[in-house]
Amino acid sequence: MDANWWRDAVVYEVYVRSFADSDSDGTGDLAGLRSRLGYLAELGIDAVWTTPWYRSPMVDGGYDVEDHRAVEPLFGTDDDLPALVAEAHRLGLRVLIDVVPNHTSDHHRWFRAALAAGPGSPERARYHFRPGRGPGGERPPTDWRSVFGGPAWTRAADGEWYLHLFAPEQPDLNWDNPGVRAEFEDLLRFWFARGVDGVRIDVAHGLLKDPAFPDLGAEDEEIAQPPDRTGHPHWDRDGVHDIYRAWRKVAGEFGPDRVFVAEAWVDRPDRLARYVRPDELHTAFNFDFLRCEWDATALRAVIDRTLEALGAVGAPATWVLSNHDVVRHVTRFGDPRRARAAALLMLALPGGAYLYQGEELGLEEVEDLPEEVLADPTWERSGHTRRGRDGCRVPLPWSGTEPPFGFTEGDAPTWLPQPARWRALTAEAQDGDPGSMLHLYRAALAARREHPALGDGTMTWRPAPDGVLSFTREPGFGCVVNLSGEPYELPDGARVLLASGPLDDGRVPPDGAVWLAGR
């Protein structure tokens, strides 16, 4: 047992609904994922993180949880999860699941009981119910805004209002309530006892609210807001750290190799470092890196700030380029060459990394989905002004030359349509092509496992022209990423381990990257 496996693990995010379909209904499921675990093992990852598959009305793709201990029938049966974990372990892969502690579904037994019990009841104390303002309480209690658009409050039939920082169907839990804390600690024990290796914490920065419920005085509240949210009434409040200290103790009951990763949208690296202190969570996504523009100066600054802040608390960095909530980085960067170079940069940096399904195929954001198929609640909540996140959630193309590209069999359409142009990007089409994105990821992950310099550790910047990132890692590894507009000539005798694309007579072209041996 490697208790520190998480310090440099490469974890692959599976958006279950869009990964692989086993029962021909057009929607991915747990059995479909299990059938493709061999592909993931061959890719060279260390662990799989699955998005929620719990029982849910599916208003927000499963992040509106009705029952945290049951599998949603759309994704399979309660027997599918232990079978998935067992097969992953047989292949040497660990499994992380998603836990959603900020809110439940409005179908959850707790919320149904709260509505039935009425104002002032213990049942309502598990959520945030408050009287409204103005004559007859007709205005929301605060001016807080939902991440998905519109007010963050909805009025119940008896006149009280309840808080939902996301959709109205996702009422926020009251984490000042001891019963809420006890329930989630029991939930962690439930899944750790069933062999789960780790937990990704949804909206880890959002659990606690200022009990005074002050107005923000802002017209538009987003999940991440510049420049500084310290003291914000519902994001990144200091009290969340007591919750995670208790969770760390729960994980410790099952051994030192059970881990957490936080989805914590915070303003500064030093705020992120608070989540990964030695007695709290193990890792946290690095969204500063994800959001960074394709610019050498900006990237170097993010890397330096991250390593300094997390190193101060003894935690590794966790790098990420894409996930199920953001535009795919092939599209953000505007060029597949940049995406290839970014992958080599990320996988060469100290610490761990998260890959999002399909990035190893070079999939771009699908920006032309018909309006009638859009399922993200952001589309409706924003009054059809924000299309939401469906473009990065289109089902994967596995094989063949026409949709559904092996994702499903039978006549049922995929839950989101795949573009016909993906015929060149299927896993089958790229499998034997040494120039493909899939081949690049396989080669990089294999080299990362084999080279003693890669993974956890340190790095040293080397002198380089403007627009070029160059660093070394010991023993005997170098990385060069050319973000300038001119080719960069490698030193005489440089031995290339891996390149993101063809070199020009020993020169790294613009938007190219190389891994070097012996530097």
Side-chain angles (χ1 to χ4, degrees):
M1 178 180 65
D2 180 6
N4 291 316
W5 67 272
W6 49 274
R7 294 190 65 89
D8 56 8
V10 176
V11 183
Y12 186 99
E13 179 192 354
V14 169
Y15 191 76
V16 178
R17 197 177 188 182
S18 297
F19 191 70
D21 173 25
S22 71
D23 59 5
S24 302
D25 64 355
T27 297
D29 47 48
L30 292 175
L33 167 56
R34 189 171 78 249
S35 74
R36 297 287 186 176
L37 286 175
Y39 164 86
L40 296 180
E42 183 181 2
L43 183 62
I45 61 165
D46 301 295
V48 177
W49 154 38
T50 64
T51 54
W53 30 258
Y54 310 110
R55 189 178 299 277
S56 167
M58 298 296 291
V59 170
D60 183 24
Y63 283 92
D64 49 318
V65 179
E66 179 179 347
D67 185 344
H68 293 85
R69 292 174 174 81
V71 172
E72 162 59 35
L74 187 68
F75 298 134
T77 70
D78 290 349
D79 293 331
D80 285 320
L81 195 280
L84 171 67
V85 172
E87 178 64 10
H89 288 172
R90 187 186 70 80
L91 292 170
L93 302 175
R94 300 178 190 261
V95 177
L96 284 70
I97 63 172
D98 221 312
V99 166
V100 187
N102 181 70
H103 46 263
T104 69
S105 166
D106 61 350
H107 287 208
H108 192 282
R109 58 185 174 84
W110 275 5
F111 192 72
R112 293 199 307 266
L115 292 180
S121 63
E123 290 81 2
R124 287 208 172 180
R126 296 181 180 127
Y127 296 89
H128 295 285
F129 280 85
R130 294 180 65 82
R133 297 188 290 190
E138 295 176 355
R139 291 191 296 114
T142 73
D143 63 358
W144 299 1
R145 306 289 292 177
S146 162
V147 171
F148 292 155
W153 297 90
T154 289
R155 200 174 193 187
D158 55 30
E160 279 204 323
W161 297 73
Y162 68 88
L163 177 68
H164 53 86
L165 293 180
F166 295 87
E169 297 87 356
Q170 295 169 292
D172 278 42
L173 288 163
N174 176 12
W175 275 86
D176 289 320
N177 185 300
V180 171
R181 298 194 183 208
E183 167 66 10
F184 274 84
E185 289 177 21
D186 286 346
L187 178 68
L188 294 175
R189 292 187 179 96
F190 180 88
W191 288 117
F192 282 141
R194 282 153 180 77
V196 166
D197 300 287
V199 169
R200 179 263 191 184
I201 306 168
D202 186 59
V203 196
H205 60 298
L207 274 56
L208 288 181
K209 282 72 178 176
D210 185 337
F213 286 89
D215 278 342
L216 280 160
E219 292 297 321
D220 187 25
E221 280 294 299
E222 298 286 348
I223 194 168
Q225 309 156 62
D228 190 339
R229 286 207 309 267
T230 304
H232 194 282
H234 60 72
W235 295 139
D236 190 28
R237 295 187 61 78
D238 289 344
V240 299
H241 301 288
D242 289 336
I243 296 169
Y244 299 135
R245 290 186 185 97
W247 284 25
R248 181 65 173 257
K249 292 178 181 177
V250 171
E253 296 171 11
F254 295 86
D257 60 338
R258 307 298 177 98
V259 303
F260 296 105
V261 58
E263 182 204 28
W265 293 88
V266 296
D267 300 294
R268 307 189 309 264
D270 62 301
R271 297 296 295 183
L272 187 66
R274 291 163 59 84
Y275 288 80
V276 291
R277 289 175 289 194
D279 62 342
E280 294 190 41
L281 306 176
H282 299 77
T283 60
F285 296 127
N286 186 345
F287 293 127
D288 284 350
F289 184 74
L290 180 151
R291 293 179 291 187
C292 191
E293 59 186 299
W294 187 248
D295 175 84
T297 301
L299 281 166
R300 178 166 176 166
V302 165
I303 293 166
D304 284 344
R305 289 197 304 266
T306 298
L307 293 177
E308 179 182 6
L310 299 186
V313 296
T318 303
W319 312 100
V320 59
L321 289 168
S322 285
N323 64 36
H324 67 280
D325 284 332
V326 300
V327 173
R328 286 184 176 274
H329 64 272
V330 167
T331 299
R332 293 201 321 273
F333 291 151
D335 191 327
R337 294 177 304 169
R338 292 180 175 180
R340 294 171 68 94
L344 290 195
L345 170 62
M346 177 177 71
L347 293 172
L349 292 171
Y354 274 70
L355 313 180
Y356 178 50
Q357 64 176 44
E359 73 174 78
E360 80 281 7
L361 302 178
L363 300 186
E364 80 279 13
E365 188 83 359
V366 182
E367 299 179 301
D368 55 355
L369 289 170
E371 291 183 357
E372 61 269 19
V373 306
L374 296 179
D376 190 331
T378 300
W379 174 240
E380 294 295 335
R381 292 282 294 172
S382 69
H384 296 176
T385 61
R386 293 159 55 197
R387 290 176 64 87
R389 301 159 293 176
D390 291 316
C392 66
R393 300 175 175 183
V394 174
L396 293 192
W398 290 100
S399 59
T401 58
E402 300 291 338
F405 296 121
F407 172 79
T408 187
E409 297 180 357
D411 298 327
T414 56
W415 75 277
L416 287 174
Q418 302 158 304
R421 61 183 178 274
W422 278 5
R423 62 173 55 91
L425 299 179
T426 67
E428 179 183 61
Q430 297 191 46
D431 185 46
D433 178 4
S436 69
M437 186 76 86
L438 178 58
H439 186 274
L440 177 70
Y441 269 76
R442 285 175 174 168
L445 291 171
R448 182 182 167 97
R449 282 180 175 243
E450 294 167 2
H451 202 295
L454 295 178
D456 199 12
T458 60
M459 59 177 281
T460 302
W461 293 109
R462 293 180 60 87
D466 289 345
V468 176
L469 297 176
S470 178
F471 61 89
T472 58
R473 301 193 61 191
E474 296 300 331
F477 176 85
C479 178
V480 175
V481 186
N482 185 4
L483 296 90
S484 75
E486 302 294 331
Y488 173 74
E489 188 162 354
L490 294 172
D492 289 341
R495 184 160 66 90
V496 175
L497 291 174
L498 184 62
S500 63
L503 302 185
D504 179 13
D505 193 24
R507 299 187 302 171
V508 183
D511 298 325
V514 294
W515 287 0
L516 304 172
R519 295 197 64 206

